[in-house]
Amino acid sequence: MTDETPSDSKLTRTKEKWAREGRFLTGKITRPEDQRLPPGQHLTKDWPVLDLGVVPPISRERWRLDVYGAVETPVFWTFDEFIAQKQARFTSDIHCVTTWSRYDNEWEGLATRDLLAACQPREDARFVVLHSYDGYTTNLALEDFAAEDALLAHSWFGQPLTEEHGGPVRLVVPHLYFWKSAKWLQAIEFLTEDAPGFWEVRGYHNRGDPWAEQRYSGD
Ligand SMILES: Nc1nc2c(c(=O)[nH]1)N[C@H]1C(S)=C(S)[C@@H](COP(=O)(O)O)O[C@H]1N2
Ligand SMILES: [Mo]
């Protein structure tokens, strides 16, 4: 361990600099139907690890999920309670803002739509903030969180998510850049007002649509 805090690490400072410089922007805009690979992305077969450099040691036994805020029914689950929910299997592509994409990832977990059915967001709920065990946060509009292929994933290709990729449970929101897909998920907070997260307050786009190249806040 170094004494650098995650928000002051070299990677964080480098990515903040890219945001200021508008790195990796091609200016092209395409739609998913036209082009599977979003503009400015290249394909990779391996699965790079990107995070703040601190892997929180959370076993399945110690893991808890808290769902609260603007909901009718707050949810507090252990891993056993979480995995007893209806299981979804989705195959989707990953698009990271640092320009790598990885096709055809097989995820298993709880569809965000089924989570919404369990916690019942209030009429006035518009946004969610994901809170992670490493202190990371990221925000999503409720409709993006509720995308039909978004899920709280515990497995990848039939194997438990590894620690480095966000196990026991991470979010996967395939239609947005991967920084929206919080690893080591701890809590989901429903809000009536938006609340930008870790990268969103450091120059990254509030929504992050890869096909519109919404990399940085000015895009
Ligand atoms: N908790 C947490 N989730 C996170 C991050 C992080 O630092 N902490 N980094 C995000 C970023 S920038 C990316 S690109 C992906 C990387 O996921 P991977 O390491 O599984 O490829 O996780 C996202 N989710
Ligand atoms: Mo990223």
Side-chain angles (χ1 to χ4, degrees):
M1 287 286 293
T2 70
D3 57 8
E4 284 191 334
T5 59
S7 63
D8 192 35
S9 73
K10 187 153 178 269
L11 178 65
T12 302
R13 288 194 303 270
T14 302
K15 288 172 83 174
E16 286 180 301
K17 186 162 166 282
W18 290 348
R20 285 195 303 274
E21 294 170 353
R23 277 282 286 275
F24 306 135
L25 276 179
T26 68
K28 274 181 265 160
I29 292 177
T30 52
R31 290 289 117 199
E33 311 86 65
D34 307 327
Q35 193 183 8
R36 184 174 181 184
L37 190 66
Q41 297 293 112
H42 68 270
L43 272 181
T44 174
K45 286 226 156 49
D46 58 359
W47 185 9
V49 173
L50 273 105
D51 51 49
L52 305 178
V54 182
V55 176
I58 306 293
S59 62
R60 286 185 166 186
E61 289 66 40
R62 288 181 50 217
W63 184 80
R64 298 287 184 277
L65 179 68
D66 298 347
V67 182
Y68 57 87
V71 293
E72 302 293 348
T73 314
V75 164
F76 304 100
W77 280 330
T78 63
F79 189 82
D80 287 346
E81 291 167 328
F82 166 76
I83 210 155
Q85 308 300 310
K86 184 176 159 193
Q87 296 293 296
R89 281 197 187 82
F90 297 143
T91 299
S92 59
D93 301 343
I94 296 171
H95 306 295
C96 174
V97 73
T98 60
T99 75
W100 59 268
S101 293
R102 190 185 190 290
Y103 285 167
D104 292 326
N105 299 274
E106 291 178 27
W107 307 101
E108 186 175 349
L110 175 67
T112 55
R113 289 183 172 200
D114 292 324
L115 177 79
L116 294 172
C119 70
Q120 300 179 66
R122 288 194 333 234
E123 277 297 304
D124 57 351
R126 294 282 179 278
F127 303 95
V128 297
V129 171
L130 295 309
H131 299 266
S132 295
Y133 280 96
D134 60 342
Y136 186 80
T137 57
T138 189
N139 59 313
L140 290 159
L142 190 50
E143 56 270 28
D144 282 325
F145 179 75
E148 59 186 355
D149 55 356
L151 79 166
L152 279 53
H154 57 71
S155 295
W156 183 75
F157 287 103
Q159 298 297 319
L161 260 190
T162 60
E163 211 169 50
E164 60 181 5
H165 286 301
V169 177
R170 77 176 300 157
L171 185 68
V172 176
V173 179
H175 72 290
L176 298 178
Y177 283 125
F178 212 34
W179 86 77
K180 294 290 186 180
S181 293
K183 309 204 279 192
W184 312 297
L185 192 58
Q186 177 174 36
I188 305 172
E189 182 182 10
F190 287 75
L191 297 169
T192 57
E193 308 286 336
D194 202 2
F198 183 90
W199 286 120
E200 293 83 5
V201 302
R202 287 176 174 79
Y204 284 77
H205 198 278
N206 198 53
R207 176 149 188 265
D209 175 353
W211 289 274
E213 277 210 272
Q214 293 174 340
R215 299 180 191 275
Y216 309 119
S217 48
D219 299 342

